[in-house]
Amino acid sequence: MNEKGKLIVISGPSGSGKSTVVNKAIQGREDMCFSTSVTTRSPRPGEVDGKDYFFIDPQRFQEMVERDELLEHAQYVAHSYGTPRAFVEQKLNEGLNVILDIEVQGARQVREKKKDAVLVFIVPPSLDELRRRLVNRGTDAPDVIEARLQRASEELKETELYDYLIINDDLETAAREFTSILTAEHCKVPHRIHLLKDF
Ligand code: ADP
Ligand code: 5GP
């Protein structure tokens, strides 16, 4: 019998390096997939509908909420974001690990609904470094960067909800720590005990 997939939530201030760390850590692995969220915000230059997000209007978002099609959903800096439930359930059943890159309110909902989800918080080494990374990334206007920094300070107060904390200073180290978390979680007894049934 195969191992079941793990639901892995990653959160952390926008610009802390979540995508960079996780993409590096899972490069070439076929047991991992990302959930693509729905959002009401507009695409940034270069973002692709259906890959980075499903970009939908507020009415469609509301319909999905009412039909209970979202595993979790939240409001973040004036826009709505949510995780389509069907994709996550299907991939977990296929034995894949599913990564959700979501903010803290959503992570709290996942913790309630999926007791065995693994919650990882990724932070930059300092708020000054976070500002530098957001400016260098060049994807957000100055007022949006200020709003994101404000939100970052609030999010950092919620760290205790999470199982693991990665400080993304050196990228190699952060990616290695993420891989180690995956390995440790798969070795946990509740995750593997069903494999002993034929002994
Ligand atoms: P997030 O997904 O958390 O919003 P990104 O992965 O987009 O963040 O990273 C934000 C910016 O910081 C990007 O330009 C990325 O190249 C850079 N970055 C990520 N990790 C590091 C690191 N360890 N050191 C320096 N820059 C980094
Ligand atoms: P961005 O606009 O930078 O792509 O994302 C803003 C924030 O929304 C990030 O913290 C990201 O993790 C979070 N986010 C993205 N998708 C979802 C989602 O489906 N649900 C929730 N709760 N947050 C999300």
Side-chain angles (χ1 to χ4, degrees):
M1 196 190 209
N2 286 335
E3 282 189 26
K4 286 186 260 171
K6 276 262 168 202
L7 184 58
I8 299 147
V9 170
I10 56 162
S11 304
S14 178
S16 60
K18 297 181 294 294
S19 328
T20 311
V21 170
V22 173
N23 278 315
K24 186 169 180 61
I26 70 171
Q27 217 170 24
R29 287 182 63 150
E30 288 180 358
D31 58 336
M32 313 288 306
C33 67
F34 277 100
S35 155
T36 303
S37 298
V38 292
T39 182
T40 59
R41 85 153 162 74
S42 307
R44 297 188 188 121
E47 282 185 331
V48 177
D49 188 34
K51 179 171 172 285
D52 298 288
Y53 284 101
F54 295 104
F55 296 98
I56 61 176
D57 60 34
Q59 190 186 337
R60 172 76 187 116
F61 191 93
Q62 194 50 36
E63 269 171 28
M64 292 186 82
V65 172
E66 282 163 15
R67 292 181 190 161
D68 201 24
E69 290 173 4
L70 299 177
L71 174 61
E72 60 71 39
H73 62 94
Q75 196 63 19
Y76 181 94
V77 188
H79 292 291
S80 302
Y81 296 79
T83 302
R85 181 198 303 281
F87 176 88
V88 171
E89 299 295 354
Q90 184 193 328
K91 295 299 169 187
L92 290 175
N93 287 337
E94 287 172 12
L96 291 180
N97 301 308
V98 182
I99 300 179
L100 308 184
D101 173 345
I102 63 177
E103 51 68 72
V104 173
Q105 304 165 73
R108 198 176 291 287
Q109 295 167 41
V110 173
R111 170 115 287 168
E112 285 296 309
K113 290 180 183 164
K114 298 272 184 191
K115 299 294 179 203
D116 60 347
V118 183
L119 275 57
V120 182
F121 202 73
I122 300 185
V123 293
S126 67
L127 282 180
D128 280 347
E129 173 61 15
L130 180 60
R131 185 189 300 271
R132 254 192 303 278
R133 287 184 190 173
L134 284 172
V135 171
N136 286 344
R137 187 169 70 179
T139 52
D140 299 298
D143 59 325
V144 175
I145 291 183
E146 286 317 310
R148 282 170 186 264
L149 284 167
Q150 178 63 37
R151 182 68 179 243
S153 308
E154 288 159 22
E155 285 193 335
L156 287 168
K157 295 180 194 143
E158 309 273 346
T159 315
E160 282 176 12
L161 173 69
Y162 290 77
D163 301 303
Y164 296 98
L165 177 63
I166 293 178
I167 296 167
N168 177 24
D169 189 354
D170 174 58
L171 179 59
E172 298 284 336
T173 307
R176 210 168 39 244
E177 287 185 353
F178 185 76
T179 308
S180 305
I181 291 167
L182 290 179
T183 307
E185 286 295 326
H186 272 274
C187 294
K188 280 189 166 169
V189 170
H191 189 70
R192 286 206 161 149
I193 190 96
H194 67 288
L195 298 173
L196 296 184
K197 75 174 178 14
D198 294 334
F199 275 49

